[in-house]
Amino acid sequence: TAGLLALSFTAAAQKKAGIVAHRGFWNCEEAGYAKNSIAALKCAQEAGFWGSEFDVNMTSDGVLIVYHDSDIEGKLIEKYPYSEFKDYRIRNGETIPTIDQYLEQGKKHPETVLVYEMKPHSCPEVEDRFIDLAIANLEKHDLLHPKRVIFISFSFHICQELSKRLPRFTVQYLGGDKDPKEVKKARIKGIDYHYKKFIKEDQWAKTARRKGMSTNAWTVNEKDDMKAMFKQKIRYLTTDYPVDAREVMKSMKMREL
């Protein structure tokens, strides 16, 4: 009976997945269609998606800002002080959020996981400083908790360093150039790969699961691709169309985490 129970629990667990709103739930009127905006985070929280993803870069004077690209109008964020960027407006009229402003909104909805993407920087020394500041900021806002935040990065160094410093946290490598065994060997607990990589390497999701790793697929915007990822039992689905993902899950009789 215990074995049967365990099996039914496993089956139930596999019918669940978490929807991550990519750069927030920006794709709606209320957010003004502005990616990485505070409004987009608020919309993701209010819509009840499992998580909201956002991108973070560090200025030369150590201010962390929520912005996707490594440069703003040709100025490399890492090489210029925050004063160069503070008045720049994003699509909905907000100024580029600092991490402090962003986390102020983030902590208002404890049920929404903050999927914190740390952008690669020029060298390990700069990335280490970036990690120090990221951790300090989360501590300051009382958000440094594995149930509140997961980390993702294209920088293998950042992923390794975070895994070392924060062993209880989910850290997912974004690169897609290493198989799950290699990532696990580096003591990183998860992979967050482009959905086409999971389609091509169709055993990677299964291998990662067997190794107790978390899996996430980005950026899955077509319903057929969403179905393909859910069939592979990917744990988290990162998408610009979270409402569509919700519909697909319902059609597949899946439940949201």
Side-chain angles (χ1 to χ4, degrees):
T1 324
L4 280 173
L5 266 175
L7 274 173
S8 65
F9 276 131
T10 314
Q14 287 163 354
K15 288 194 178 291
K16 286 184 184 176
I19 296 170
V20 178
H22 182 235
R23 303 182 198 166
F25 184 19
W26 60 269
N27 211 346
C28 64
E29 226 168 278
E30 295 80 359
Y33 302 94
K35 300 174 181 183
N36 279 320
S37 61
I38 289 170
L41 168 60
K42 190 168 185 271
C43 287
Q45 292 169 323
E46 287 172 355
F49 299 117
W50 177 85
S52 190
E53 185 264 357
F54 58 105
D55 305 286
V56 184
N57 274 285
M58 177 177 69
T59 63
S60 64
D61 52 350
V63 177
L64 305 192
I65 60 173
V66 180
Y67 194 77
H68 178 267
D69 298 347
S70 57
D71 71 285
I72 297 169
E73 291 180 342
K75 290 178 181 168
L76 206 57
I77 294 168
E78 177 184 326
K79 300 289 182 201
Y80 285 85
Y82 173 62
S83 56
E84 289 286 330
F85 308 116
K86 68 178 177 58
D87 298 323
Y88 184 85
R89 303 257 164 200
I90 55 176
R91 186 170 173 177
N92 65 354
E94 285 181 29
T95 51
I96 294 173
T98 63
I99 196 66
D100 278 321
Q101 292 163 340
Y102 201 84
L103 295 179
E104 273 302 321
Q105 178 60 39
K107 63 187 178 192
K108 289 178 185 172
H109 288 258
E111 69 285 0
T112 308
V113 176
L114 299 171
V115 180
Y116 195 132
E117 180 172 347
M118 298 189 71
K119 303 304 278 188
H121 284 60
S122 57
C123 62
E125 293 72 25
V126 173
E127 290 186 340
D128 288 345
R129 183 172 174 236
F130 183 24
I131 291 166
D132 289 341
L133 290 168
I135 291 172
N137 269 291
L138 286 164
E139 273 178 333
K140 184 170 89 178
H141 290 274
D142 206 21
L143 282 168
L144 192 67
H145 192 284
K147 283 199 164 78
R148 302 298 304 274
V149 180
I150 74 169
F151 295 98
I152 60 176
S153 186
F154 279 98
S155 161
F156 204 65
H157 173 75
I158 286 177
C159 289
Q160 281 188 292
E161 200 55 36
L162 281 168
S163 301
K164 211 186 296 174
R165 293 203 210 175
L166 301 170
R168 291 168 54 233
F169 282 70
T170 297
V171 176
Q172 296 174 335
Y173 175 55
L174 286 162
D177 57 334
K178 299 180 194 302
D179 70 37
K181 290 173 194 161
E182 206 181 330
V183 178
K184 176 77 178 194
K185 207 173 166 185
R187 299 209 162 104
I188 297 164
K189 284 183 184 169
I191 50 173
D192 181 2
Y193 286 173
H194 192 270
Y195 72 92
K196 283 184 179 167
K197 179 58 82 170
F198 283 118
I199 289 168
K200 189 176 169 219
E201 305 287 354
D202 62 356
Q203 294 303 302
W204 278 14
K206 194 188 280 183
T207 303
R209 258 198 324 280
R210 262 206 316 267
K211 293 190 161 295
M213 300 168 76
S214 68
T215 54
N216 194 341
W218 60 268
T219 298
V220 197
N221 288 342
E222 299 293 332
K223 288 185 172 182
D224 285 348
D225 296 325
M226 291 173 184
K227 280 178 191 160
M229 290 301 97
F230 289 137
K231 279 177 185 162
Q232 282 201 22
K233 302 186 171 77
I234 295 284
R235 189 69 167 161
Y236 307 112
L237 186 108
T238 301
T239 175
D240 289 315
Y241 298 92
V243 175
D244 286 0
R246 189 166 264 171
E247 282 169 19
V248 168
M249 286 182 78
K250 274 188 189 142
S251 75
M252 295 175 77
K253 299 193 165 37
M254 291 177 70
R255 287 190 303 161
E256 289 181 52
L257 288 169

